Amino acid sequence: MNDDEYKPRISRVIDRFITLIGESAAWLNVSLVTVIIMQVVLRYVFSKGLVRLEELQWHLYAIGIMLGLSYCTTKDSHIRLDLFHHRYSRRTKEIIEIFGTIFLLIPMVTIVLLHSWPFVAESFRINEASDSVVGLPFRWFVKSFLLWGFILLALAGVSRLINSVAFLIKGLK
Amino acid sequence: MDLNHIIVIVMFLTFILLLFSGYPISFVLMGTAALFTLVGYLSDAYLSTTTGVGFVYVGMVVNRVYKLMDNWVLVAIPMFIFMGLMLDRSGIADNMMRSLQELFGKVRGGLGVTIALIGVILAASTGIIGASVVLLGLLAIPTMLKQGYDKSFAVGTVAASGTLGILIPPSIMLVIMADQLGLSVGDLFMGAVFPGLILGTMYIVYILIFALLYPKKAPLSETREPLSLLVLWNVLKSALPAVLLILAVLGSIFAGITTVTEASGVGALGAMILAGANKKLNFTVIREVVSGTFNVTGYIFGIFIGATCFALVLRGLGGDQLIENVLTGIPLGSYGIIFIILAFVFLLGFFLDWIEITLIILPLLSPVVAGLDIIMPEYGVISEPVLIWFLVLVAVALQTSFLTPPVGFAIFYLRGVAPKEVELIHIYKGVIPFIVLQLIGLTIVVIWPELVLWLPSVAYD
Amino acid sequence: TKEVEVEKIVEVEKTVESIELKVPVAFGTNLPSLGDGILYIADRIEPLSGGSLSMTVYEPNKLVAPNEILDAVSTGKVNAGYATAGYWVGKMPASPLFSAVPFGPDAAEYLAWFYYDDGMDLYQRMYDDAGYNVHVLLAAIIPPETSGWFADPIESTDDLDGLRMRFFGLGAEVMQKFGVQTSLLPGGEIFAALEKGAIDATEFSLPVVDQRLGFHKLVKHNYFPGWHQQATTFELLINKDVWNEMTDQQRMILEVITKASVADSFAHGEALEGVEIQKNVTEFGVTNHYWSDEMLAEFKSAWLEVVAEKYAEDAFFAEVWDDFAAFDAEYQYWASIGYLPRPEPPK
Ligand code: NA
Ligand code: NA
């Protein structure tokens, strides 16, 4: 229910933006393969230390999962219990989207955004490093993707909402 | 009953009701959590409960989501998905399955048995349920459907076989269980080996019998030729690379050469190399694989994040206590309590995933179980034989939670990767026989604890 | 006089208002000594306070993960938490000095420094200066940990080169100086990693705890003394707003009960070890080794290198180190003259 002629311009812009970010972030998986292989080689060929590389791996993975939330929303690939859903009319589906987004998605996303701002800011203020004494610096960088991930999710949700409302209005005409 | 416990029950029911709206499950979990944060807050303010749930408390979701990000073990999930998708898009999986089909297609149900066997091998390699179900789903379902297998039967076989991964060691679930109860992971790993193999064997026997009874639902391969050296050679040629890759990944984990995460990365690279050798490694394929990986990873973690929100609020409202009260109030003997607990785990499995059940229920149950009047003296080498046995029972019972609707992770994963013609109803129908088999397996392990306890008692001498 | 009356009434109401401390913990309470220290407090605080304080303990990860406890308490998401300061090394480089110091004090000296020198003041100041809204109470201390479990005897530091080992805290940096690849696996994952060969060796905790995790089934050489953790402390963090709103009585109850808990945890830990450590040898075929003087000297000089690095990097680390070193200099003379020598280690 995403790409159709009812879609308002603003939704198109947001969706294109999120898709662009998602399609780019998807390549992190290739970096992840590379880093793991680097670690394997270092460890088995050169017997070298690896805590930093291990941490780099979950940093890449963490950025991926957080940016994936909004991408899946825009692509409409989040899993639904579609036992009945696929039989509903388009109109009913859009109404469910509107109610769901306003009463289910937005409240928790707002809560997470309000709490993740101090969480990330705090980390930045003390220039937090790894919990391991031999780990990576700048822990706030990876923590910030909690914030970015949910900001994008909020955007994707809003775009979805606008899209559904637009359908209902135009569909009535 | 305390008011907050009523709220817990209402929260559960609300969640289930909202699921049926068809709004994404991850957001239903988040939304129910947010809604009942408000309910908890209002009930503290006006109905004199003392849940402490409110805007500040629920802020802990941030710390919990970060804990999902900061998890090196889970890094293997995108990598195994990458490997599976790459094998799929580069045509390698197809080749491999076709060869296996030629080899086993001559036996009734042979392809199904092959899938179950691969499921056992995958189970022994990853312990990451999402990865093995996704991999099997991508590799096996199209092949089975092409050969004319019944959709439900095909999907059920894949879902159940892939689910074995949490039982047959290595298994993340067993690691977490051992951690929760302060027991030896090794004892638990050893304890789960036979129950896992028994389940695998039962699946295979069932598949063979089903194929004999309903030949139309598990037809023989149409293209089958008599087994000649040429056929064997062709099979080897097309299947060998992928089989070798999977064996290398498994073998390196089993032999202790690499960790699961390392092996997953090596597997991903290996899949790319095979794709290259198959002359399919071009920009388009890689781009498809990376966005596919990104997408699947995204919705899996969507549910993880939703579940963590839900569990936090449920716990704050006293969900733990409610469960404890119910269980400790059972006026039955030792085996009666174990039966009730297992039935309870089975029922919870309809709505919660194994992580939540493991984290919520186990710590509450272990004192009850350790205090039961069951003595297993001949296994003195193991520090807590009754608890080990009990944990394996729970682990077997939790197999069902992946398959039982509405919230079954194997179902969700398959929904994501199965061909479009497979509908949810096919999946539901397909998993029922396997749930029954799992319950039979559970009964067997209840009756014969030595299936669990013998191996750990001799393993380290 | 009316104002005084009002104040009195408010005061009375305040004492009546009971506080439930919700305490996420960093280690499972099923782990003897390492994890169960908090139960001493949780079981007694309600009757002791006549109901004005109570405590609910949340096992690791039930509410928050161990390394998120500080943040959760500081932001008030929970009003208290039980952990060990070394967990916050990424946030405050000096923090490990408040949980265990390699080649540092045993419990007697450590407690002397905390309670009757500058230890507690510096400890609280660390959190204040870093902007954490918590009040810290010392809540438990445990006896020396083992120095690690190895598959083969370690004869010289060359045998350490290239080993993959699980190691906690500042000691990990010492081990790295000898070519050990350290990682920090959580307790529950160590056995599996050791079994599969993802690591070759490990240290975790006290002999009694290590035994619960079953390392003796895989590797048979257990080394002593635990130079990296002669005494390890645990902290009860309380959100500062909650602390400030408490009555004097409530605060005093917490101060006294945590001090009782410190005594109890130490006595409990010491009481457990004698039996268990024998069992390793007699029942499980473990060999207990005592590091040679040469090895200990090498570990120590590597440790002093690590200290020099940290000292230069972080001003507060330097301040705490200087403070402790000054106390230690005085104390050592007393320790050398006031006590009978310890029994000779087995050779
Ligand atoms: Na497994
Ligand atoms: Na389920």
Side-chain angles (χ1 to χ4, degrees), chain B residues 260-304:
Chain B
V260 176
T261 308
E262 287 170 344
S264 69
V266 173
L269 178 71
M272 278 200 273
I273 292 172
L274 290 189
N278 209 23
K279 301 198 173 55
K280 288 278 175 59
L281 191 69
N282 53 48
F283 182 77
T284 319
V285 167
I286 301 181
R287 200 187 55 201
E288 276 175 24
V289 170
V290 293
S291 18
T293 306
F294 190 67
N295 193 35
V296 177
T297 314
Y299 72 65
I300 289 175
F301 281 90
I303 296 193
F304 269 33

Side-chain angles (χ1 to χ4, degrees), chain A residues 21-23 25-30 32-33 36-37 39-40 43-44 50 53-55 57-59 61-69 71-73 75-88 96-117 119-120 128 131 139 142-146 150 153 157 160, chain B residues 16 18-35 37 55-63 65-66 68-72 74-75 77-79 82 256-259 261-266 268-269 272 283 286-287 289-291 293-303 305 309 313 405-407 412-413 415-416 423-425 428:
Chain A
I21 288 181
E23 299 281 355
W27 289 91
L28 287 173
N29 284 308
V30 177
L32 186 49
V33 177
I36 295 178
I37 298 300
Q39 174 187 328
V40 171
R43 178 153 137 182
Y44 297 100
L50 32 89
L53 277 183
E54 273 178 22
E55 290 195 351
Q57 286 164 29
W58 70 254
H59 279 49
Y61 137 95
I63 294 170
I65 60 173
M66 292 319 290
L67 296 180
L69 291 176
Y71 180 76
C72 287
T73 307
K75 290 268 160 206
D76 194 20
S77 53
H78 279 296
I79 300 167
R80 299 165 183 270
L81 181 68
D82 52 3
L83 203 55
F84 305 121
H85 187 256
H86 71 288
R87 280 187 235 146
Y88 297 154
I96 289 173
E97 290 307 298
I98 292 170
F99 276 90
T101 307
I102 293 177
F103 294 106
L104 297 173
L105 179 60
I106 302 230
M108 188 48 92
V109 169
T110 310
I111 288 173
V112 173
L113 283 178
L114 290 174
H115 281 288
S116 58
W117 170 250
F119 182 75
V120 176
E128 184 176 4
D131 296 333
R139 181 55 58 89
V142 69
K143 281 189 171 178
S144 75
F145 279 88
L146 211 163
F150 272 86
L153 179 58
R160 196 57 175 286
Chain B
I16 292 160
L18 288 172
L19 271 185
F20 286 99
S21 71
Y23 197 65
I25 291 165
S26 44
F27 302 152
V28 170
L29 282 162
M30 287 186 199
T32 315
L35 190 66
T37 301
F55 175 72
V56 179
Y57 170 88
V58 84
M60 259 185 295
V61 295
V62 169
N63 306 79
V65 171
Y66 174 62
L68 283 173
M69 300 165 68
D70 167 11
N71 192 325
W72 188 59
L74 297 182
V75 172
I77 290 184
M79 289 296 93
F82 186 106
I257 300 168
T258 60
T259 63
T261 308
E262 287 170 344
S264 69
V266 173
L269 178 71
M272 278 200 273
F283 182 77
I286 301 181
R287 200 187 55 201
V289 170
V290 293
S291 18
T293 306
F294 190 67
N295 193 35
V296 177
T297 314
Y299 72 65
I300 289 175
F301 281 90
I303 296 193
I305 290 171
C309 297
V313 176
V407 183
F412 295 155
Y413 293 133
R415 195 79 193 102
E423 284 173 39
L424 202 57
I425 195 73
Y428 288 154

Side-chain angles (χ1 to χ4, degrees), chain B residues 214-225:
Chain B
Y214 306 98
K216 279 191 187 138
K217 294 191 170 185
L220 294 171
S221 168
E222 280 168 15
T223 57
R224 67 186 191 277
E225 296 164 37

Side-chain angles (χ1 to χ4, degrees), chain B residues 93-113:
Chain B
D94 204 36
N95 286 349
M96 182 177 76
M97 278 295 160
R98 210 164 334 150
S99 312
L100 290 172
Q101 192 180 338
E102 287 199 6
L103 209 54
F104 294 97
K106 291 152 200 55
V107 187
R108 280 249 167 251
L111 187 57
V113 171

Side-chain angles (χ1 to χ4, degrees), chain B residues 120 122-128 164-172:
Chain B
V120 172
L122 278 178
S125 68
T126 67
I128 297 159
L164 278 176
I166 53 155
L167 192 56
I168 298 180
S171 148
I172 294 177

Side-chain angles (χ1 to χ4, degrees), chain C residues 220-232:
Chain C
K220 299 288 186 189
H221 297 277
N222 195 8
Y223 273 77
F224 299 87
W227 51 265
H228 62 305
Q229 274 168 281
Q230 279 288 292
T232 309

